[in-house]
Amino acid sequence: MAEHAETVEKAGFCCLCRSRCGAVFEVSGGRLIKAKPAPDHPTGKALCVKGKAAPEIAHSPERMLHPMRRTTPKTDPDPGWERVSWEEAMRDIAARLGAIREASGAEAVGFGVTTPSGTPISDSIEWIERFIRLFGSPNTVYGTEICNWHKDHAHRFTYGSGILYPDHANADAILLWGFNPSAVWLDQATQIAAARGARIVAVDPRRTGYARRADPWLRVRPGTDGALAMGLAHILIEREAFDAAFIRRWSNGTLLVRTDTGRFLREAEVRGRDGATRLVARRGNGALVFYDPETRCFDADPDTDTDGLALRGTVRIDLAGAGPVACRPAFDLFAEACATYEPAVVAARTSVPEADLMAAAETLIAARRVAYYCWSGVGQHRDATQTDRAIALLMALKGGYDSPGGNVAFTKHPLNPATDFTQFPEGQIEKALGYAERPLGPPSQGWVRAAEIYRAILEGSPYPIRAMVVFGANMAVSQGDTDRAVEAFRALDFHVHCDSVETPTARFADYFLPVNTPWEREALRNGFEVTQEAESLIQLRQPMIPPAGESRSDTEIVFDLATRLGMGQAFFGGDIDKARAWQLEPVGLSLADLRARPEGIRRDLAYRPRKYAESRGEGVTGFATPTGLVEIYSQRLRDHGHAPMPAFPAPADSEAAAYPLLLTTAKSPYYCHSQQRHIASLRRRKPTPTVTLHPDTAEAEGLAPGDRAWVETAHGRIRLAVETDGTLDPGVAVADYGWWQGNEALGLPAHDPFSEEGANYNRLISAGAADPISGSVPHRSTRARVSAERGDGE
Ligand SMILES: Nc1nc2c(c(=O)[nH]1)N[C@H]1C(S)=C(S)[C@@H](COP(=O)(O)OP(=O)(O)OC[C@H]3O[C@@H](n4cnc5c(=O)[nH]c(N)nc54)[C@H](O)[C@@H]3O)O[C@H]1N2
Ligand SMILES: Nc1nc2c(c(=O)[nH]1)N[C@H]1C(S)=C(S)[C@@H](COP(=O)(O)OP(=O)(O)OC[C@H]3O[C@@H](n4cnc5c(=O)[nH]c(N)nc54)[C@H](O)[C@@H]3O)O[C@H]1N2
Ligand code: SF4
Ligand SMILES: [Mo]
């Protein structure tokens, strides 16, 4: 049939990145020949160059198409792969994993999962996580602490939810903070372009994407974002240009904090009544008002007028049976903390000129509705969690949570969820590596850092990790401590790696399992995020072409493994269709319905703003935080030994003399992380990894564009080609990451990720100095020096 094949068009979507752009694929003779936008799809206005490269990616000769078993020792860089059948591989893998779980506990098997925001693993992630959790391992390297954890989870310390979607279309101003949608989320960038009336504030060390037309662009020094957010908050507070009604009713800013203990004053302490768990606020006239965290209401009355509640000042409150104690509304403490960030202080810390800071404050003040989003620009620092808190609180001052023109929680179809955190067996989460040090961080969700996995493998501390099963993550390149990674992967008893290409991490494996590409498999998507209409679309993406070779989807792999490991019942007897049918039950759709409509089925849903104010039971919904309110003051963080309000002590910068530059990085619009360098149409756009410097900085080192230079930190060095950019801070270097792969078609060599001959950015980074709450690693605020290649004389 391939000979006179006709071309057919198939509806689907691209899932190479978070944008998940609606797409139509042209297929002929079993081959993908073209990907194009699908204008009727809610995210189908455009495709980027990666999306258009789908045929090249799907049909790349670099793909591994058969299960393979290693025949050489792990110290041999050549795994000596021999082909094995799926049956033989899966039987052995299930037996080995089962035996390790039996002998050493499920926690002795570590997992690695790549990111659903930057790979098509989004097709399978929920089934992979169901597998891992029911298997019982609390140890998944997921990269979340350097990716999305802060915006999606640290945000809960403040709002009880992750960051909500920015309602660009209805915003007066859009704040993009360490987030560059033009390169990383095409559909969001398209929405911003359409939001014509909105002013944009961009906080980014690089003048790129929307920073070019921002009003203003704040050229922050990498890693000083927290001070900047506090400085902006200070201006809003000082000018009384914040949503005081929202803060009074919906934040815990009115609640009194005891200055002696740093804890909220409780009704029981004032009235001497046992069991009275209500907290205390105060009216301007001095009268006390009680707040019930259960009903989320003041004086148990949803209609209590909160406008008269005091936000400022110190009062002495007589405690029942004890003397008076000084108390202050939480907001007063926050205002005081912000006041230490006067514009001149902020300018000195962040290198953002005072005039730009004031202009940004004016934009935020003038805008009635501000939508915001932040991502990895603020997530890869030693103080990422507190930085997230500071940005979240700045935005709380605008009161735009879950409201049009601010950030909105769209309604979703209630599909049965394949996975949730309750699937971990009792007692397993507490065993997560790093849980003891960071019980509020990702370990409490079963996500652990590569650094802790390496330690457990190499030192057996706190207990040995004996095996790893990895779904796509290329940790040896995408994480720091590269030398440790090599040692650790060599030391593993057993390592299974699932990917479509043989990455440097996969080369350490005992078994390589070939994963198909998204165009070769079916996948179910519940909503497309960017509007309520987009969230209303359910789409079962059809396979465009048959799987190449023997490749399979991750979903097929975990259903098979689960069945072999005695978890068949939880995996619908290994029947993926049955599993999906169950997921769809609550919306009354069948797989047949969806297969008949490959462009997806829309069941209209309505957005309800300000759900926190809806009545529920005796009170209102409020926020899912300990006080039920937006937490300006986090007693939970304080009880765990962290600052209850964001604080950013200036770091002792002992490395500044030896390493005068601050090194940061960003996503490439042409690649996702360490992928796709083998795709010729993409590689042509960016053939070589570079470090970008201010022209004066380059010149001072005797470097010109195109020269090769050493980029060096206290942890290692690599060589990159120099580029210059006059808009950069002269004290900052921006380097590419994710480089290892060659490109045969273009005759470009591979870069050794494990030596200084290569260009692996993460050789320069160590997880040693980390965020105390999340464990985030300073991929974007490590000190560095850049010097001419010849100048390495020592
Ligand atoms: N093309 C492409 N798209 C992707 C991905 C990809 O690899 N390639 N990956 C996907 C994934 S997994 C993710 S996490 C998202 C990430 O999406 P983003 O977080 O938007 O991506 P980045 O470019 O890494 O970082 C955003 C911006 O942060 C800036 N930045 C660097 N250091 C600092 C700093 O100290 N402070 C501030 N304020 N900004 C800083 C960078 O210059 C960059 O412009 O993208 C997703 N989409
Ligand atoms: N220096 C520096 N380091 C960073 C970052 C940074 O900004 N700077 N960003 C960080 C961020 S935000 C993230 S999310 C991580 C990402 O780090 P990783 O998760 O390691 O991502 P990649 O390096 O892109 O490797 C993904 C692998 O998954 C494979 N893959 C793609 N699709 C599938 C699939 O459907 N199934 C399977 N099994 N495999 C698949 C790809 O072929 C590729 O080999 O990197 C982090 N590392
Ligand atoms: S932005 Fe590009 S890579 Fe991401 S989903 Fe859209 S087309 Fe695919
Ligand atoms: Mo990410």
Side-chain angles (χ1 to χ4, degrees):
M1 83 182 178
E3 280 89 68
H4 47 92
E6 54 181 309
T7 300
V8 287
E9 293 199 339
K10 293 183 154 190
F13 56 92
C14 176
C15 58
L16 293 177
C17 87
R18 180 67 178 269
S19 191
R20 296 176 194 133
C21 301
V24 171
F25 298 91
E26 285 182 12
V27 176
S28 177
R31 287 185 72 83
L32 196 56
I33 54 178
K34 192 170 180 180
K36 46 191 197 183
D40 294 335
H41 192 284
T43 57
K45 284 170 211 66
L47 294 184
C48 79
V49 291
K50 301 182 295 301
K52 288 183 185 154
E56 272 177 279
I57 299 172
H59 301 296
S60 160
E62 305 274 313
R63 280 184 56 187
M64 298 271 278
L65 301 178
H66 304 282
M68 296 288 186
R69 181 164 55 202
R70 161 175 230 103
T71 58
T72 59
K74 301 224 174 159
T75 43
D76 193 330
D78 178 0
W81 297 127
E82 68 175 6
R83 258 179 82 168
V84 288
S85 70
W86 273 104
E87 176 55 32
E88 194 182 343
M90 296 303 270
R91 199 184 326 121
D92 192 26
I93 293 167
R96 304 270 304 259
L97 296 179
I100 292 173
R101 181 172 63 175
E102 185 73 34
S104 311
E107 62 276 13
V109 180
F111 288 86
V113 181
T114 186
T115 168
S117 297
T119 74
I121 202 100
S122 49
D123 287 348
S124 318
I125 180 77
E126 50 183 354
W127 296 109
I128 296 174
E129 292 202 307
R130 181 183 182 88
F131 174 82
I132 296 170
R133 291 167 183 170
L134 292 173
F135 179 84
S137 176
N139 295 321
T140 299
V141 178
Y142 192 35
T144 188
E145 70 285 345
I146 48 172
C147 176
N148 66 319
W149 195 83
H150 305 89
K151 75 177 173 66
D152 292 334
H153 298 280
H155 236 60
R156 292 176 204 277
F157 295 127
T158 307
Y159 289 111
S161 81
I163 196 169
L164 305 182
Y165 192 80
D167 184 16
H168 300 302
N170 298 304
D172 303 316
I174 297 170
L175 174 61
L176 303 174
W177 201 311
F179 171 55
N180 180 22
S182 313
V184 306
W185 191 331
L186 183 61
D187 201 75
Q188 227 188 109
T190 309
Q191 280 189 329
I192 296 170
R196 296 205 178 277
R199 294 175 71 166
I200 293 171
V201 176
V203 187
D204 198 307
R206 299 184 307 146
R207 187 153 192 261
T208 186
Y210 281 102
R212 287 177 206 276
R213 46 186 132 141
D215 196 10
W217 164 47
L218 300 182
R219 191 184 70 180
V220 67
R221 269 169 75 75
T224 63
D225 299 271
L228 187 61
M230 295 294 274
L232 286 167
H234 171 60
I235 299 168
L236 266 60
I237 292 170
E238 197 179 46
R239 299 261 297 268
E240 296 195 15
F242 62 92
D243 187 341
F246 177 85
I247 291 292
R248 283 201 170 85
R249 173 61 187 95
W250 297 110
S251 87
N252 67 13
T254 62
L255 301 182
L256 294 172
V257 177
R258 289 175 59 152
T259 56
D260 58 343
T261 60
R263 312 195 90 241
F264 286 116
L265 180 67
R266 285 177 301 119
E267 182 183 14
E269 294 164 319
V270 185
R271 293 189 172 173
R273 276 206 231 132
D274 277 351
T277 55
R278 296 191 301 173
L279 305 174
V280 188
R282 191 179 141 268
R283 288 196 191 283
N285 65 13
L288 297 185
V289 175
F290 297 96
Y291 168 78
D292 187 345
E294 294 294 313
T295 60
R296 283 105 206 257
C297 291
F298 287 85
D299 280 344
D301 175 1
D303 299 323
T304 297
D305 171 24
T306 49
D307 287 346
L309 296 181
L311 289 173
R312 305 301 296 263
T314 305
V315 279
R316 297 183 80 75
I317 306 267
D318 285 315
L319 301 187
V325 63
C327 296
R328 295 169 69 183
F331 187 85
D332 195 49
L333 296 167
F334 178 57
E336 182 182 70
C338 291
T340 60
Y341 297 90
E342 286 283 354
V345 173
V346 174
R349 270 291 275 287
T350 65
S351 88
V352 171
E354 269 189 66
D356 291 349
L357 180 73
M358 297 313 292
E362 293 300 346
T363 301
L364 295 182
I365 289 170
R368 213 158 43 85
R369 298 166 300 197
V370 184
Y372 75 107
Y373 208 75
C374 39
W375 205 342
S376 41
V378 287
Q380 300 175 357
H381 302 291
R382 288 177 193 87
D383 54 9
T385 303
Q386 294 291 7
T387 299
D388 182 86
R389 287 263 297 144
I391 297 171
L393 288 177
L394 169 66
M395 295 315 299
L397 293 175
K398 292 300 293 181
Y401 185 89
D402 202 10
S403 70
N407 288 59
V408 288
F410 293 125
T411 310
K412 279 193 88 69
H413 289 296
L415 297 203
N416 280 327
T419 190
D420 60 60
F421 295 111
T422 64
Q423 288 168 336
F424 288 105
E426 180 96 18
Q428 284 304 97
I429 273 295
E430 294 74 9
K431 296 183 193 161
L433 299 173
Y435 182 87
E437 297 85 352
R438 295 183 298 279
L440 297 176
S444 67
Q445 289 141 324
W447 297 318
V448 305
R449 303 194 310 170
E452 268 77 39
I453 285 273
Y454 302 156
R455 187 177 65 168
I457 296 170
L458 291 169
E459 297 163 25
S461 161
Y463 53 81
I465 292 285
R466 297 177 51 200
M468 288 289 293
V469 180
V470 183
F471 297 91
N474 186 13
M475 282 117 79
V477 179
S478 56
Q479 303 267 347
D481 301 299
T482 314
D483 295 346
R484 289 275 281 181
V486 174
E487 276 184 71
F489 284 119
R490 284 185 178 155
L492 274 175
D493 286 355
F494 190 54
H495 175 180
V496 180
H497 213 97
C498 312
D499 203 313
S500 50
V501 295
E502 187 193 355
T503 63
T505 313
R507 256 172 234 148
F508 295 102
D510 294 289
Y511 278 102
F512 183 96
L513 301 179
V515 174
N516 59 20
T517 64
W519 309 282
E520 301 162 307
R521 63 195 185 214
E522 201 173 56
L524 178 63
R525 177 141 288 283
N526 177 19
F528 287 79
E529 288 196 83
V530 297
T531 55
Q532 183 59 71
E533 183 203 342
E535 278 290 53
S536 307
L537 184 71
I538 300 181
Q539 190 170 10
L540 186 67
R541 201 190 59 233
Q542 58 186 321
M544 309 299 153
I545 50 175
E550 293 183 279
S551 62
R552 290 184 182 173
S553 71
D554 302 276
T555 307
E556 290 172 286
I557 293 172
V558 294
F559 271 69
D560 184 353
L561 259 188
T563 313
R564 290 170 193 267
L565 280 160
M567 294 144 66
Q569 216 180 351
F571 280 80
F572 303 84
D575 187 335
I576 296 170
D577 278 3
K578 270 196 193 147
R580 293 210 170 115
W582 166 77
Q583 285 192 284
L584 289 164
E585 268 168 21
V587 287
L589 281 174
S590 71
L591 287 177
D593 297 334
L594 286 165
R595 284 185 184 133
R597 301 269 303 278
E599 72 285 4
I601 294 179
R602 207 163 85 206
R603 290 280 180 81
D604 284 341
L605 296 167
Y607 166 62
R608 303 193 326 271
R610 297 182 191 86
K611 290 179 276 298
Y612 55 81
E614 289 176 355
S615 29
R616 198 177 70 180
E618 309 260 284
V620 295
T621 300
F623 294 80
T625 57
T627 56
L629 297 168
V630 174
E631 298 228 321
I632 289 180
Y633 191 91
S634 173
Q635 191 174 290
R636 171 167 52 175
L637 286 175
R638 190 180 182 285
D639 289 348
H640 280 83
H642 308 295
M645 289 177 305
F648 305 93
D653 217 349
S654 56
E655 291 184 351
Y659 300 100
L661 303 175
L662 269 173
L663 180 64
T664 188
T665 185
K667 309 294 181 251
S668 161
Y670 313 125
Y671 308 114
C672 284
H673 308 292
S674 74
Q675 302 160 71
Q676 293 122 0
R677 306 305 190 282
H678 61 305
I679 303 302
S681 70
L682 299 175
R683 187 66 176 268
R684 263 187 216 108
R685 294 172 185 270
K686 176 82 189 184
T688 355
T690 55
V691 57
T692 308
L693 303 169
H694 187 275
D696 295 347
T697 309
E699 200 188 320
E701 287 297 335
L703 289 163
D707 286 355
R708 301 229 302 162
W710 287 115
V711 179
E712 185 172 0
T713 69
H715 311 289
R717 64 179 187 174
I718 56 171
R719 255 178 320 198
L720 298 171
V722 173
E723 277 181 355
T724 56
D725 175 351
T727 68
L728 272 187
D729 181 329
V732 168
V734 183
D736 292 334
Y737 76 98
W739 286 78
W740 63 273
Q741 204 173 15
N743 188 300
E744 256 178 55
L746 301 181
L748 292 166
H751 301 262
D752 177 2
F754 305 127
S755 88
E756 62 180 36
E757 298 305 317
N760 180 1
Y761 181 109
N762 285 333
R763 288 197 77 236
L764 309 174
I765 304 299
S766 165
D771 182 290
I773 302 169
S774 69
S776 175
V777 176
H779 291 264
R780 299 197 182 199
S781 40
T782 293
R783 287 212 152 268
R785 64 173 169 241
V786 178
S787 54
E789 198 178 356
R790 278 168 287 101
D792 68 318
E794 69 276 325

